[in-house]
Amino acid sequence: MSSVQRRGGGDADRVGARFWDGSGSRVALLDSAVLCFARTGFHATTTRDVTAAVGLSPGALYVHFPSKEAVLFEVSRTGHRRALDALRSQPDDGDSRAYLRRLVVALVTWHARHHTVARVCQYELAALEPDHLAVVLELRQEFTDVMRTAVARGAAEGVFDVPDVNRAVRAVVSLGIDLVRWYRLDGSDTPETIGEVYADLALRMVGAPAR
């Protein structure tokens, strides 16, 4: 799998200190882990792979994390929290159609901009220990609940035509999640462009096409 890509730039980028909690070596290790896990998968990545990529000794990882799995947990937990924050930051003015559109734009734009982190979050869940997996699954449920509440309200108001709210929510959320398999920042669509396009598609899916 590809590393994080920069539009118009080189092959590799870093998520950066503003994304992760902490600073210095801890941030560098998390950035490196994302790239390593995305390229070769969690199980095929060694702690030496993660530390060597940022010029640290293998033991440096254990200064900040008790295990490689703990690094994955921090990546997954932070990624899910940031995605949830992107949804919760959207204003709700009572217009169900406009609110769902903003949610989908935020959902898709975030996953496109952070597609490498998101890909690790989605595809490496099985490697998490049960207690850590439970934390992440709770965040995923909160994420889905935001979307479900918006779709259910629109359906109750007659703004959306959805026979099954849960199925509609799964389909809408899939728009943002599935793109992490193929999206590249140096492709033809910016995160914002694809967010707007997918929001229009989502409205059609719930029976509320663009005005």
Side-chain angles (χ1 to χ4, degrees), residues 128-144:
L128 291 173
E129 295 177 356
D131 288 349
H132 288 166
L133 178 60
V135 171
V136 173
L137 291 180
E138 183 175 347
L139 289 170
R140 291 168 73 90
Q141 185 62 51
E142 292 180 39
F143 186 93
T144 302

Side-chain angles (χ1 to χ4, degrees), residues 84-204:
L84 183 58
D85 288 345
L87 288 188
R88 287 178 169 167
S89 68
Q90 301 310 304
D92 180 4
D93 59 3
D95 183 334
S96 293
R97 184 188 177 283
Y99 180 49
L100 181 61
R101 194 177 200 287
R102 284 192 289 270
L103 288 179
V104 175
V105 169
L107 164 79
V108 174
T109 300
W110 190 93
H111 279 81
R113 182 173 293 120
H114 302 293
H115 64 100
T116 307
V117 173
R119 191 163 62 241
V120 173
C121 290
Q122 295 300 321
Y123 295 148
E124 301 297 339
L125 283 177
L128 291 173
E129 295 177 356
D131 288 349
H132 288 166
L133 178 60
V135 171
V136 173
L137 291 180
E138 183 175 347
L139 289 170
R140 291 168 73 90
Q141 185 62 51
E142 292 180 39
F143 186 93
T144 302
D145 286 346
V146 173
M147 301 296 291
R148 182 181 292 109
T149 299
V151 173
R153 187 182 76 185
E157 294 171 346
V159 176
F160 304 150
D161 180 13
V162 284
D164 189 310
V165 169
N166 288 332
R167 287 174 178 167
V169 169
R170 282 195 295 270
V172 170
V173 171
S174 293
L175 287 174
I177 291 176
D178 186 65
L179 67 80
V180 305
R181 293 187 301 106
W182 55 267
Y183 184 78
R184 292 172 57 97
L185 283 171
D186 58 359
S188 59
D189 289 330
T190 65
E192 292 74 18
T193 297
I194 200 166
E196 295 290 338
V197 170
Y198 275 32
D200 287 340
L201 292 174
L203 289 174
R204 288 182 171 88

